[in-house]
Amino acid sequence: MHSIFHFAFNVRDLDAARRFYGGVLGCREGRSTDTWVDFDFFGHQISLHLGEPFATARTGHVGDKLVPMPHFGLILQLADWQAMAKRLTDAGTEFVLEPQGRFEGQPGEQWTMFFLDPFGNPIEVKGFRSLATVYEA
């Protein structure tokens, strides 16, 4: 079965959302009205609706760091992850967790970064040498 993930959440300003998701992240805009806008979020659909973003707290343990929960994100091939880290850095993004590697030499070796959209919605982007290793224990 092949599927596309859909996630709908609130933002306070659709124009600012377009600048961030479309401009900074490079997501293609889809359908929209005056109260919501869809984006192709790297092959998945996100729907951004006008409203108050969900509350988050830094309660997720990643090694010795606390990261925002809940959060959403994506997993990229390492080269694409590196390009995304550069794109975000060049755009002046303030990171919750700077781009870095973790679990080096272990199953699940990966790279990660956490940042917030302009409304405080937390996003994690992971990178793997091979997407076939995402679920290795």
Side-chain angles (χ1 to χ4, degrees):
M1 179 185 311
H2 179 73
S3 64
I4 297 173
F5 185 77
H6 165 79
F7 181 50
F9 57 97
N10 287 335
V11 299
R12 292 185 197 94
D13 181 316
L14 295 181
D15 289 332
R18 285 180 167 103
R19 287 189 299 275
F20 181 76
Y21 287 93
V24 174
L25 295 183
C27 299
R28 183 178 58 84
E29 185 173 330
R31 295 174 295 142
S32 67
T33 70
D34 57 349
T35 62
W36 58 265
V37 59
D38 285 345
F39 285 96
D40 177 344
F41 188 72
F42 305 89
H44 302 281
Q45 183 191 50
I46 57 172
S47 295
L48 286 56
H49 293 255
L50 285 176
E52 191 58 32
F54 53 83
T56 65
R58 291 187 185 183
T59 58
H61 291 270
V62 176
D64 62 348
K65 308 277 193 275
L66 290 175
V67 298
M69 296 296 292
H71 63 265
F72 74 101
L74 67 146
I75 299 172
L76 299 171
Q77 291 282 136
L78 183 55
D80 294 330
W81 181 89
Q82 291 166 329
M84 175 67 73
K86 181 175 180 352
R87 182 180 189 131
L88 289 164
T89 300
D90 290 350
T93 302
E94 184 175 325
F95 291 95
V96 173
L97 186 63
E98 294 283 334
Q100 61 188 266
R102 60 183 175 178
F103 312 124
E104 185 176 347
Q106 302 176 43
E109 180 179 31
Q110 61 190 265
W111 290 259
T112 189
M113 60 184 135
F114 276 85
F115 53 93
L116 306 176
D117 77 3
F119 318 100
N121 294 308
I123 302 170
E124 178 182 20
V125 180
K126 295 181 181 184
F128 282 77
R129 289 188 202 282
S130 168
L131 297 183
T133 65
V134 169
Y135 299 106
E136 285 187 1

